[in-house]
Amino acid sequence: EPEVTQTPSHQVTQMGQEVILRCVPISNHLYFYWYRQILGQKVEFLVSFYNNEISEKSEIFDDQFSVERPDGSNFTLKIRSTKLEDSAMYFCASTQTGLSSTDTQYFGPGTRLTVL
Amino acid sequence: GNSVTQMEGPVTLSEEAFLTINCTYTATGYPSLFWYVQYPGEGLQLLLKATKADDKGSNKGFEATYRKETTSFHLEKGSVQVSDSAVYFCALSPNDYKLSFGAGTTVTVRA
């Protein structure tokens, strides 16, 4: 069964450093998403991406965050200057069409980001 | 705004016990409702979904019915197994592609 993959599984970084989290969505999917879960809190939507541009972003997704699809397979989330409060599990997801909420979002296993 | 409230865990059960995880929601319009499960070390997997009132989603012995009158989508399983140990997330999507999740409920099933 096709799956979404994410690398690395765990990233440790110093405050102020840039990090790039990588995702490989399912190959025929067109819509891509990032969510995050701070320890003990809810999974929160960050951003959706379609046709090489952001479709929607949450209040969390400020100027420190950016997303990119640098080639035909990868989808990345960059945090320019990490803060302690960016420590969380980051999930990537993809959907085939995204045309309705009934389309299933397939999630990756997550990257645990720890900012020291 | 849209939000999901689910039963806090952790929940610990014996094998073959009955499991219920409560989930209620607040949303404008008529959202689709989902249960996702996360097994240890894995990503979020869709367990079941319902897209309109009175729909029942079911999968792997789990069921949940979309109750518009009580704005609920409680997850049930009649006889749990050790392999059902996981974190369960209730979620909704009000037709704008993104999901709003509950906090997750950790379920541990003992042999």
Side-chain angles (χ1 to χ4, degrees), chain B residues 58-78:
Chain B
S58 61
N59 186 25
K60 298 182 181 179
F62 290 89
E63 291 183 342
T65 301
Y66 190 142
R67 300 281 187 208
K68 183 167 171 290
E69 63 276 13
T70 54
T71 61
S72 65
F73 193 55
H74 304 322
L75 182 69
E76 296 181 336
K77 185 172 185 181

Side-chain angles (χ1 to χ4, degrees), chain A residues 11 44 54-55 101:
Chain A
Q11 172 95 44
E44 302 170 291
I54 291 173
S55 307
S101 64

Side-chain angles (χ1 to χ4, degrees), chain B residues 76-90:
Chain B
E76 296 181 336
K77 185 172 185 181
S79 177
V80 293
Q81 305 300 311
V82 172
S83 57
D84 294 324
S85 297
V87 182
Y88 293 82
F89 294 90
C90 186

Side-chain angles (χ1 to χ4, degrees), chain A residues 35 42 56 98 101-102 105, chain B residues 4 36 49 95 97-99:
Chain A
Y35 292 80
K42 295 184 178 186
E56 187 173 356
S101 64
T102 59
Q105 288 197 11
Chain B
V4 175
Y36 277 81
K49 66 183 183 185
N95 299 318
Y97 319 146
K98 64 180 185 286
L99 291 167

Side-chain angles (χ1 to χ4, degrees), chain A residues 101-102, chain B residues 2 25-34 50-54 66-69 71 92-96:
Chain A
S101 64
T102 59
Chain B
N2 302 311
Y25 67 90
T26 303
T28 53
Y30 303 98
S32 293
L33 301 173
F34 305 82
T51 58
K52 60 184 187 295
D54 300 325
Y66 190 142
R67 300 281 187 208
K68 183 167 171 290
E69 63 276 13
T71 61
L92 69 81
S93 180
N95 299 318
D96 62 354

